[in-house]
Amino acid sequence: MAVTPATREQPAIKGGKPVRDTLLPYGRQSITEEDIAAVVAVLRSDWLTTGPKVDEFEEAFAARVRASYAVSFSSGTAALHGAVFAADLKPGDEAITTPLTFAATANCVLYQGATPVFADVDETTLNLDPEKAAKCITSRTKALLPVDFAGHPADLDAFLALAEGHGLTVIEDAAHALGAEYRQRGVGGISHMTVFSFHPVKHLTTGEGGMVTTQNAKFAEKLRHFRNHGISSDARRRQSEGQWHYEMVALGYNYRLTDIGCALGLQQLPRLDANLARRRKIAKCYNDAFDGLTGVIVPRVRDDVNHAWHLYPIRIEANKFSAGRGELFRALRAENIGVNVHYIPVHLHPYYRDRFGFRGGEFPLAEQAYEEMISLPMFHGMNDQDVSDVIHALRKVVHAYAR
Ligand SMILES: Cc1ncc(COP(=O)(O)O)c(C=O)c1O
Protein backbone atom coordinates (compact mmCIF):
# COMPACT_ATOMS: atom_id res chain seq x y z
CA MET A 1 0.00 0.00 0.00
CA ALA A 2 1.46 3.34 -1.06
CA VAL A 3 1.48 5.72 1.88
CA THR A 4 3.07 9.12 1.67
CA PRO A 5 6.04 9.10 4.05
CA ALA A 6 6.15 11.37 7.04
CA THR A 7 6.77 14.91 5.89
CA ARG A 8 6.48 18.41 7.19
CA GLU A 9 3.39 19.07 5.12
CA GLN A 10 1.26 22.02 6.16
CA PRO A 11 -1.86 20.60 7.90
CA ALA A 12 -5.23 21.56 6.43
CA ILE A 13 -6.28 23.18 9.71
CA LYS A 14 -3.46 25.71 9.12
CA GLY A 15 -4.29 26.33 5.48
CA GLY A 16 -2.64 23.30 3.80
CA LYS A 17 -4.35 21.01 1.31
CA PRO A 18 -6.48 18.31 2.99
CA VAL A 19 -5.44 14.68 2.45
CA ARG A 20 -8.90 13.99 1.00
CA ASP A 21 -11.44 16.08 -0.88
CA THR A 22 -14.42 14.34 0.74
CA LEU A 23 -15.03 13.18 4.28
CA LEU A 24 -14.23 9.55 5.09
CA PRO A 25 -16.70 8.57 7.86
CA TYR A 26 -15.51 6.58 10.90
CA GLY A 27 -18.01 3.81 10.18
CA ARG A 28 -20.42 2.92 7.42
CA GLN A 29 -22.74 0.13 6.26
CA SER A 30 -22.25 -1.81 3.03
CA ILE A 31 -25.37 -2.71 1.05
CA THR A 32 -25.36 -4.86 -2.09
CA GLU A 33 -27.93 -5.15 -4.88
CA GLU A 34 -28.82 -8.59 -3.44
CA ASP A 35 -29.54 -6.96 -0.07
CA ILE A 36 -31.88 -4.50 -1.75
CA ALA A 37 -33.63 -7.29 -3.70
CA ALA A 38 -34.15 -9.30 -0.50
CA VAL A 39 -35.77 -6.31 1.22
CA VAL A 40 -37.97 -5.60 -1.80
CA ALA A 41 -39.11 -9.24 -1.86
CA VAL A 42 -40.33 -8.86 1.74
CA LEU A 43 -42.20 -5.68 0.80
CA ARG A 44 -44.07 -7.75 -1.80
CA SER A 45 -44.84 -10.56 0.67
CA ASP A 46 -47.64 -11.03 3.23
CA TRP A 47 -45.48 -10.36 6.26
CA LEU A 48 -43.75 -7.05 6.89
CA THR A 49 -43.14 -7.84 10.55
CA THR A 50 -42.89 -10.94 12.77
CA GLY A 51 -43.13 -13.22 9.75
CA PRO A 52 -40.93 -16.03 8.47
CA LYS A 53 -37.80 -13.89 8.04
CA VAL A 54 -37.61 -13.29 11.79
CA ASP A 55 -37.41 -17.02 12.54
CA GLU A 56 -34.96 -17.60 9.70
CA PHE A 57 -32.66 -14.79 10.81
CA GLU A 58 -32.76 -15.87 14.45
CA GLU A 59 -31.94 -19.49 13.54
CA ALA A 60 -29.09 -18.51 11.21
CA PHE A 61 -27.68 -16.07 13.77
CA ALA A 62 -27.85 -18.60 16.64
CA ALA A 63 -26.03 -21.14 14.46
CA ARG A 64 -23.34 -18.57 13.54
CA VAL A 65 -22.49 -17.70 17.14
CA ARG A 66 -23.13 -21.25 18.45
CA ALA A 67 -25.93 -20.29 20.80
CA SER A 68 -29.01 -22.41 21.45
CA TYR A 69 -31.33 -19.40 21.13
CA ALA A 70 -31.28 -16.02 19.43
CA VAL A 71 -34.10 -13.53 20.07
CA SER A 72 -34.23 -10.46 17.84
CA PHE A 73 -35.13 -6.95 19.01
CA SER A 74 -35.83 -3.61 17.36
CA SER A 75 -32.45 -2.22 18.51
CA GLY A 76 -29.42 -3.16 20.56
CA THR A 77 -30.79 -0.93 23.30
CA ALA A 78 -34.12 -2.81 23.32
CA ALA A 79 -32.15 -6.08 23.38
CA LEU A 80 -30.20 -4.86 26.43
CA HIS A 81 -33.47 -3.93 28.11
CA GLY A 82 -34.82 -7.41 27.33
CA ALA A 83 -31.73 -9.06 28.83
CA VAL A 84 -31.96 -6.99 32.02
CA PHE A 85 -35.64 -7.94 32.30
CA ALA A 86 -34.88 -11.64 31.69
CA ALA A 87 -32.20 -11.49 34.42
CA ASP A 88 -35.03 -10.30 36.70
CA LEU A 89 -33.53 -6.95 37.68
CA LYS A 90 -35.96 -4.90 39.75
CA PRO A 91 -35.90 -1.76 41.90
CA GLY A 92 -33.33 -2.26 44.66
CA ASP A 93 -31.14 -4.53 42.51
CA GLU A 94 -27.77 -3.55 41.07
CA ALA A 95 -25.80 -4.43 37.94
CA ILE A 96 -22.07 -3.75 37.68
CA THR A 97 -20.82 -2.26 34.43
CA THR A 98 -18.11 -0.13 32.84
CA PRO A 99 -18.24 3.65 32.56
CA LEU A 100 -16.40 3.48 29.20
CA THR A 101 -19.36 2.58 27.01
CA PHE A 102 -22.33 3.98 25.16
CA ALA A 103 -24.96 5.22 27.63
CA ALA A 104 -27.45 2.50 26.59
CA THR A 105 -25.43 -0.15 28.49
CA ALA A 106 -26.17 1.52 31.81
CA ASN A 107 -29.52 3.06 30.86
CA CYS A 108 -31.10 -0.38 30.37
CA VAL A 109 -30.55 -1.10 34.06
CA LEU A 110 -32.37 2.12 34.95
CA TYR A 111 -35.28 1.17 32.64
CA GLN A 112 -36.03 -1.72 35.03
CA GLY A 113 -35.80 0.54 38.08
CA ALA A 114 -32.49 -1.05 39.13
CA THR A 115 -29.17 0.75 39.67
CA PRO A 116 -26.06 0.59 37.49
CA VAL A 117 -22.87 0.45 39.57
CA PHE A 118 -19.72 1.41 37.72
CA ALA A 119 -16.27 -0.11 38.20
CA ASP A 120 -13.14 1.11 36.45
CA VAL A 121 -11.59 -0.45 33.36
CA ASP A 122 -8.49 -2.55 32.84
CA GLU A 123 -5.64 -0.35 31.65
CA THR A 124 -4.67 -2.63 28.75
CA THR A 125 -7.95 -3.55 27.08
CA LEU A 126 -10.11 -0.71 28.45
CA ASN A 127 -12.71 -3.35 29.32
CA LEU A 128 -14.41 -3.64 32.72
CA ASP A 129 -11.78 -4.90 35.18
CA PRO A 130 -13.07 -8.12 36.84
CA GLU A 131 -11.11 -7.44 40.04
CA LYS A 132 -12.57 -3.98 40.39
CA ALA A 133 -16.03 -5.33 39.55
CA ALA A 134 -15.63 -8.01 42.26
CA LYS A 135 -15.07 -5.28 44.86
CA CYS A 136 -18.46 -3.75 43.99
CA ILE A 137 -20.50 -6.92 44.56
CA THR A 138 -23.03 -6.56 47.37
CA SER A 139 -26.16 -8.46 48.44
CA ARG A 140 -28.07 -6.25 45.95
CA THR A 141 -25.97 -7.24 42.91
CA LYS A 142 -27.90 -9.33 40.39
CA ALA A 143 -25.92 -9.00 37.17
CA LEU A 144 -22.51 -8.25 35.70
CA LEU A 145 -22.63 -6.24 32.51
CA PRO A 146 -19.22 -6.23 30.79
CA VAL A 147 -18.83 -4.59 27.38
CA ASP A 148 -16.53 -5.89 24.62
CA PHE A 149 -15.08 -2.43 24.06
CA ALA A 150 -14.20 -1.69 20.40
CA GLY A 151 -14.64 -5.41 19.61
CA HIS A 152 -12.11 -6.76 22.16
CA PRO A 153 -13.90 -9.40 24.26
CA ALA A 154 -14.06 -8.72 27.97
CA ASP A 155 -12.43 -11.23 30.33
CA LEU A 156 -15.48 -13.49 30.15
CA ASP A 157 -14.14 -16.45 32.17
CA ALA A 158 -13.34 -14.12 35.06
CA PHE A 159 -16.88 -12.66 34.97
CA LEU A 160 -18.48 -16.11 34.70
CA ALA A 161 -16.43 -17.31 37.70
CA LEU A 162 -17.54 -14.27 39.70
CA ALA A 163 -21.15 -14.87 38.67
CA GLU A 164 -20.94 -18.52 39.66
CA GLY A 165 -19.60 -17.63 43.09
CA HIS A 166 -22.30 -15.03 43.79
CA GLY A 167 -25.34 -16.34 41.88
CA LEU A 168 -25.26 -13.56 39.28
CA THR A 169 -26.17 -13.34 35.60
CA VAL A 170 -23.54 -12.23 33.08
CA ILE A 171 -25.07 -10.00 30.40
CA GLU A 172 -22.33 -9.30 27.86
CA ASP A 173 -22.80 -6.16 25.78
CA ALA A 174 -21.25 -7.37 22.52
CA ALA A 175 -22.63 -4.52 20.40
CA HIS A 176 -19.05 -4.09 19.08
CA ALA A 177 -18.01 -7.71 18.99
CA LEU A 178 -19.97 -9.82 16.52
CA GLY A 179 -17.45 -12.38 15.21
CA ALA A 180 -14.92 -11.86 18.02
CA GLU A 181 -13.45 -14.87 19.83
CA TYR A 182 -12.42 -15.36 23.42
CA ARG A 183 -10.15 -18.33 24.19
CA GLN A 184 -11.12 -19.94 20.89
CA ARG A 185 -14.86 -19.63 21.61
CA GLY A 186 -17.11 -17.32 19.65
CA VAL A 187 -18.69 -14.34 21.39
CA GLY A 188 -22.42 -15.02 21.61
CA GLY A 189 -22.16 -18.56 22.95
CA ILE A 190 -20.22 -17.88 26.16
CA SER A 191 -22.06 -15.53 28.55
CA HIS A 192 -25.47 -16.22 30.10
CA MET A 193 -26.86 -13.65 27.67
CA THR A 194 -25.01 -11.79 24.92
CA VAL A 195 -26.40 -8.65 23.33
CA PHE A 196 -25.67 -7.48 19.78
CA SER A 197 -26.55 -4.32 17.85
CA PHE A 198 -27.29 -4.09 14.13
CA HIS A 199 -26.96 -0.32 13.83
CA PRO A 200 -25.50 0.60 10.40
CA VAL A 201 -21.95 1.16 11.69
CA LYS A 202 -21.81 -2.36 13.13
CA HIS A 203 -20.55 -5.57 11.44
CA LEU A 204 -24.00 -6.44 10.19
CA THR A 205 -27.01 -4.18 9.83
CA THR A 206 -30.79 -4.44 9.82
CA GLY A 207 -31.21 -0.63 9.78
CA GLU A 208 -31.97 -0.55 13.49
CA GLY A 209 -31.94 -3.89 15.28
CA GLY A 210 -30.47 -6.08 17.96
CA MET A 211 -30.26 -9.65 19.23
CA VAL A 212 -29.86 -11.50 22.49
CA THR A 213 -28.27 -14.94 22.33
CA THR A 214 -28.34 -17.47 25.15
CA GLN A 215 -28.01 -21.18 25.90
CA ASN A 216 -30.83 -20.91 28.46
CA ALA A 217 -34.40 -21.79 27.38
CA LYS A 218 -35.98 -19.82 30.25
CA PHE A 219 -34.15 -16.63 29.32
CA ALA A 220 -35.15 -17.13 25.67
CA GLU A 221 -38.82 -17.50 26.59
CA LYS A 222 -38.77 -14.38 28.77
CA LEU A 223 -37.00 -12.42 26.03
CA ARG A 224 -39.63 -13.46 23.46
CA HIS A 225 -42.50 -12.38 25.72
CA PHE A 226 -40.82 -9.13 26.65
CA ARG A 227 -40.29 -7.95 23.09
CA ASN A 228 -43.94 -8.62 22.29
CA HIS A 229 -45.85 -6.68 25.02
CA GLY A 230 -45.38 -9.60 27.43
CA ILE A 231 -47.73 -11.71 25.29
CA SER A 232 -47.17 -15.45 25.35
CA SER A 233 -47.95 -16.29 21.70
CA ASP A 234 -47.25 -14.53 18.43
CA ALA A 235 -49.75 -13.29 15.85
CA ARG A 236 -48.47 -15.57 13.09
CA ARG A 237 -48.96 -18.69 15.20
CA ARG A 238 -52.45 -17.55 16.20
CA GLN A 239 -53.33 -16.91 12.58
CA SER A 240 -52.02 -20.28 11.39
CA GLU A 241 -53.84 -22.04 14.25
CA GLY A 242 -57.03 -20.09 13.45
CA GLN A 243 -57.46 -18.84 17.00
CA TRP A 244 -57.67 -15.43 18.62
CA HIS A 245 -56.86 -16.10 22.26
CA TYR A 246 -53.64 -14.76 23.78
CA GLU A 247 -52.44 -13.92 27.26
CA MET A 248 -50.26 -11.11 28.48
CA VAL A 249 -48.08 -12.72 31.14
CA ALA A 250 -45.63 -9.90 31.89
CA LEU A 251 -45.31 -6.18 31.27
CA GLY A 252 -43.47 -6.06 27.96
CA TYR A 253 -42.92 -3.64 25.10
CA ASN A 254 -43.20 -3.60 21.35
CA TYR A 255 -39.53 -4.25 20.65
CA ARG A 256 -40.05 -6.50 17.61
CA LEU A 257 -37.66 -6.49 14.68
CA THR A 258 -39.41 -6.38 11.31
CA ASP A 259 -39.25 -8.96 8.51
CA ILE A 260 -37.83 -6.15 6.40
CA GLY A 261 -34.87 -5.79 8.75
CA CYS A 262 -34.45 -9.54 9.21
CA ALA A 263 -34.30 -10.09 5.44
CA LEU A 264 -31.45 -7.58 5.31
CA GLY A 265 -29.70 -9.24 8.24
CA LEU A 266 -30.06 -12.69 6.67
CA GLN A 267 -28.45 -11.40 3.50
CA GLN A 268 -25.57 -9.81 5.38
CA LEU A 269 -24.77 -12.69 7.73
CA PRO A 270 -22.90 -14.86 5.17
CA ARG A 271 -20.60 -11.88 4.45
CA LEU A 272 -19.60 -11.55 8.11
CA ASP A 273 -16.36 -13.53 7.79
CA ALA A 274 -15.15 -11.47 4.83
CA ASN A 275 -16.12 -8.33 6.70
CA LEU A 276 -14.15 -9.39 9.80
CA ALA A 277 -11.15 -10.35 7.67
CA ARG A 278 -11.14 -6.90 6.07
CA ARG A 279 -11.38 -5.13 9.44
CA ARG A 280 -8.52 -7.27 10.79
CA LYS A 281 -6.42 -6.40 7.76
CA ILE A 282 -7.10 -2.68 8.19
CA ALA A 283 -6.17 -2.94 11.89
CA LYS A 284 -2.89 -4.63 10.92
CA CYS A 285 -2.10 -1.87 8.39
CA TYR A 286 -2.76 0.76 11.07
CA ASN A 287 -0.69 -1.14 13.68
CA ASP A 288 2.25 -1.48 11.30
CA ALA A 289 2.05 2.12 10.10
CA PHE A 290 1.82 3.64 13.59
CA ASP A 291 4.41 1.39 15.22
CA GLY A 292 6.92 3.80 16.69
CA LEU A 293 5.01 6.93 15.72
CA THR A 294 5.79 9.33 18.56
CA GLY A 295 2.90 10.12 20.86
CA VAL A 296 0.49 7.56 19.37
CA ILE A 297 -0.47 4.40 21.25
CA VAL A 298 -2.27 1.76 19.19
CA PRO A 299 -4.96 -0.48 20.77
CA ARG A 300 -3.52 -3.37 22.75
CA VAL A 301 -4.92 -6.86 22.19
CA ARG A 302 -4.68 -9.80 24.58
CA ASP A 303 -3.22 -13.03 23.20
CA ASP A 304 -6.29 -15.08 24.08
CA VAL A 305 -8.77 -13.14 21.91
CA ASN A 306 -9.53 -12.58 18.27
CA HIS A 307 -10.60 -8.94 18.01
CA ALA A 308 -13.63 -7.95 15.90
CA TRP A 309 -12.39 -4.36 15.30
CA HIS A 310 -15.64 -2.42 15.38
CA LEU A 311 -13.52 0.57 16.42
CA TYR A 312 -9.85 1.43 16.19
CA PRO A 313 -9.23 3.89 19.04
CA ILE A 314 -5.70 5.26 19.29
CA ARG A 315 -4.48 7.08 22.39
CA ILE A 316 -2.61 10.35 22.19
CA GLU A 317 0.18 11.03 24.70
CA ALA A 318 -0.55 14.65 25.51
CA ASN A 319 2.98 15.49 26.71
CA LYS A 320 4.44 14.63 23.29
CA PHE A 321 2.45 17.34 21.46
CA SER A 322 2.22 21.10 21.46
CA ALA A 323 -1.61 20.82 21.34
CA GLY A 324 -4.22 18.72 23.12
CA ARG A 325 -6.41 15.87 21.89
CA GLY A 326 -9.16 18.31 20.85
CA GLU A 327 -6.85 20.21 18.48
CA LEU A 328 -5.45 16.97 16.99
CA PHE A 329 -9.02 15.77 16.49
CA ARG A 330 -9.98 18.98 14.69
CA ALA A 331 -6.80 18.79 12.59
CA LEU A 332 -7.72 15.26 11.44
CA ARG A 333 -11.24 16.42 10.64
CA ALA A 334 -9.78 19.25 8.57
CA GLU A 335 -7.93 16.57 6.56
CA ASN A 336 -11.43 15.07 5.90
CA ILE A 337 -10.79 12.08 8.12
CA GLY A 338 -14.03 11.41 10.03
CA VAL A 339 -12.55 10.68 13.42
CA ASN A 340 -14.76 10.21 16.47
CA VAL A 341 -14.41 9.73 20.23
CA HIS A 342 -15.70 6.64 22.05
CA TYR A 343 -16.84 7.33 24.72
CA ILE A 344 -17.61 10.15 27.10
CA PRO A 345 -17.70 8.01 30.28
CA VAL A 346 -21.34 7.39 31.18
CA HIS A 347 -21.07 8.73 34.75
CA LEU A 348 -19.90 12.11 33.41
CA HIS A 349 -23.10 12.77 31.45
CA PRO A 350 -25.27 15.45 33.09
CA TYR A 351 -28.10 12.97 33.74
CA TYR A 352 -25.82 10.63 35.72
CA ARG A 353 -24.08 13.50 37.50
CA ASP A 354 -27.42 14.98 38.58
CA ARG A 355 -29.04 11.71 39.55
CA PHE A 356 -26.09 9.96 41.24
CA GLY A 357 -23.81 12.83 42.23
CA PHE A 358 -20.79 11.85 40.12
CA ARG A 359 -18.27 14.69 39.89
CA GLY A 360 -15.44 13.16 37.84
CA GLY A 361 -12.38 11.44 39.27
CA GLU A 362 -14.28 8.32 40.36
CA PHE A 363 -12.92 6.08 37.58
CA PRO A 364 -9.50 7.49 36.73
CA LEU A 365 -8.47 4.93 34.08
CA ALA A 366 -11.69 5.28 32.08
CA GLU A 367 -11.56 9.06 32.40
CA GLN A 368 -7.93 9.27 31.32
CA ALA A 369 -8.57 6.96 28.36
CA TYR A 370 -11.46 9.19 27.32
CA GLU A 371 -9.24 12.27 27.44
CA GLU A 372 -6.65 10.60 25.19
CA MET A 373 -8.65 8.62 22.65
CA ILE A 374 -9.46 9.24 19.01
CA SER A 375 -11.29 6.59 16.93
CA LEU A 376 -9.92 6.35 13.41
CA PRO A 377 -12.20 5.27 10.53
CA MET A 378 -12.77 1.50 10.59
CA PHE A 379 -15.32 -0.27 8.41
CA HIS A 380 -15.18 -3.18 6.03
CA GLY A 381 -16.06 -1.06 2.98
CA MET A 382 -12.87 1.02 3.30
CA ASN A 383 -10.63 0.56 0.27
CA ASP A 384 -6.82 0.64 0.32
CA GLN A 385 -6.78 4.32 -0.65
CA ASP A 386 -9.04 5.16 2.30
CA VAL A 387 -6.67 3.32 4.65
CA SER A 388 -3.66 5.12 3.14
CA ASP A 389 -5.41 8.45 3.55
CA VAL A 390 -5.97 7.84 7.26
CA ILE A 391 -2.35 6.83 7.77
CA HIS A 392 -1.11 9.82 5.77
CA ALA A 393 -3.35 12.24 7.68
CA LEU A 394 -2.39 10.96 11.11
CA ARG A 395 1.33 11.12 10.30
CA LYS A 396 0.90 14.61 8.89
CA VAL A 397 -0.94 15.86 11.97
CA VAL A 398 1.42 14.12 14.41
CA HIS A 399 4.45 15.68 12.74
CA ALA A 400 2.84 19.11 12.64
CA TYR A 401 2.19 19.10 16.38
CA ALA A 402 5.10 16.99 17.70
CA ARG A 403 7.10 18.78 20.40
C1 LIG B 1 -21.64 -0.65 23.54
C2 LIG B 1 -23.00 -0.39 22.97
N1 LIG B 1 -24.07 -0.88 23.61
C3 LIG B 1 -25.31 -0.68 23.14
C4 LIG B 1 -25.55 0.05 21.99
C5 LIG B 1 -26.94 0.31 21.55
O1 LIG B 1 -27.23 -0.30 20.33
P1 LIG B 1 -28.35 0.33 19.36
O2 LIG B 1 -27.79 1.57 18.74
O3 LIG B 1 -28.57 -0.78 18.35
O4 LIG B 1 -29.56 0.58 20.17
C6 LIG B 1 -24.46 0.58 21.30
C7 LIG B 1 -24.70 1.36 20.07
O5 LIG B 1 -23.88 1.92 19.44
C8 LIG B 1 -23.15 0.37 21.80
O6 LIG B 1 -22.09 0.87 21.16
Side-chain angles (χ1 to χ4, degrees):
M1 187 179 312
V3 177
T4 308
T7 59
R8 294 279 165 190
E9 290 173 87
Q10 176 80 332
I13 199 169
K14 293 185 177 160
K17 182 174 159 21
V19 165
R20 292 173 64 93
D21 294 333
T22 55
L23 184 76
L24 176 70
Y26 89 91
R28 194 180 167 185
Q29 72 275 17
S30 65
I31 300 289
T32 64
E33 287 306 316
E34 289 77 22
D35 292 350
I36 293 167
V39 167
V40 170
V42 169
L43 293 175
R44 294 206 168 96
S45 78
D46 289 342
W47 293 96
L48 296 190
T49 192
T50 326
K53 292 295 170 199
V54 176
D55 292 346
E56 269 182 62
F57 182 44
E58 290 178 346
E59 277 164 30
F61 194 89
R64 176 64 177 77
V65 304
R66 293 175 192 269
S68 307
Y69 307 93
V71 182
S72 60
F73 280 81
S74 53
S75 68
T77 304
L80 278 167
H81 190 184
V84 167
F85 168 83
D88 205 26
L89 266 88
K90 297 192 177 77
D93 295 336
E94 294 175 354
I96 300 169
T97 192
T98 165
L100 199 63
T101 184
F102 186 55
T105 313
N107 291 350
C108 69
V109 178
L110 294 175
Y111 295 161
Q112 283 304 106
T115 306
V117 172
F118 298 105
D120 209 348
V121 295
D122 166 86
E123 200 164 17
T124 314
T125 61
L126 302 181
N127 278 326
L128 178 62
D129 183 330
E131 284 178 19
K132 290 177 190 137
K135 293 197 180 115
C136 297
I137 295 175
T138 69
S139 57
R140 293 184 293 279
T141 310
K142 265 234 175 107
L144 302 171
L145 229 169
V147 175
D148 303 325
F149 177 72
H152 187 306
D155 193 354
L156 300 175
D157 281 345
F159 288 111
L160 286 166
L162 270 182
E164 173 96 32
H166 294 85
L168 311 176
T169 303
V170 176
I171 302 171
E172 177 188 353
D173 183 341
H176 298 180
L178 177 56
E181 286 161 350
Y182 172 82
R183 299 187 175 163
Q184 261 114 52
R185 288 169 289 158
V187 159
I190 305 172
S191 298
H192 300 134
M193 284 182 271
T194 309
V195 179
F196 297 94
S197 160
F198 307 136
H199 179 275
V201 293
K202 302 296 187 336
H203 297 78
L204 173 162
T205 191
T206 56
E208 295 280 3
M211 190 79 84
V212 184
T213 59
T214 181
Q215 313 291 15
N216 180 315
K218 284 215 174 73
F219 284 151
E221 189 185 12
K222 285 180 93 173
L223 290 161
R224 288 215 171 89
H225 293 169
F226 188 72
R227 65 144 181 226
N228 189 28
H229 308 278
I231 290 172
S232 61
S233 68
D234 71 51
R236 195 157 65 104
R237 210 167 77 209
R238 288 198 299 279
Q239 180 167 311
S240 72
E241 288 167 1
Q243 57 105 347
W244 52 267
H245 183 262
Y246 62 85
E247 284 178 339
M248 194 195 117
V249 294
L251 183 61
Y253 292 75
N254 178 353
Y255 277 160
R256 297 181 304 249
L257 184 54
T258 64
D259 266 44
I260 302 167
C262 288
L264 183 54
L266 260 176
Q267 269 294 127
Q268 300 224 329
L269 194 57
R271 301 205 299 274
L272 178 62
D273 284 326
N275 172 342
L276 287 160
R278 178 68 187 148
R279 288 173 185 260
R280 287 174 181 143
K281 185 155 182 233
I282 296 169
K284 185 169 181 325
C285 288
Y286 283 166
N287 287 342
D288 292 348
F290 305 143
D291 186 26
L293 187 62
T294 309
V296 171
I297 301 171
V298 299
R300 279 181 275 169
V301 183
R302 270 173 52 154
D303 290 342
D304 56 356
V305 308
N306 196 0
H307 203 302
W309 295 110
H310 164 54
L311 302 174
Y312 188 93
I314 55 164
R315 289 176 73 165
I316 298 292
E317 289 179 285
N319 59 356
K320 303 271 169 59
F321 297 103
S322 58
R325 187 265 311 260
E327 175 75 1
L328 298 187
F329 181 97
R330 284 187 291 279
L332 286 163
R333 279 278 178 158
E335 302 294 342
N336 273 323
I337 304 298
V339 285
N340 211 323
V341 172
H342 301 91
Y343 289 95
I344 299 167
V346 178
H347 67 289
L348 298 182
H349 285 296
Y351 180 84
Y352 279 85
R353 285 179 187 261
D354 292 349
R355 181 159 169 184
F356 297 103
F358 291 115
R359 311 168 72 93
E362 290 87 356
F363 309 105
L365 296 180
E367 291 172 29
Q368 192 185 342
Y370 161 62
E371 295 292 340
E372 295 175 355
M373 279 194 297
I374 296 180
S375 297
L376 300 182
M378 169 59 85
F379 56 96
H380 42 285
M382 282 174 77
N383 62 31
D384 288 352
Q385 186 60 51
D386 297 331
V387 178
S388 304
D389 289 346
V390 176
I391 294 170
H392 179 174
L394 184 64
R395 284 185 177 159
K396 188 174 162 185
V397 167
V398 161
H399 284 96
Y401 288 96
R403 273 192 199 278

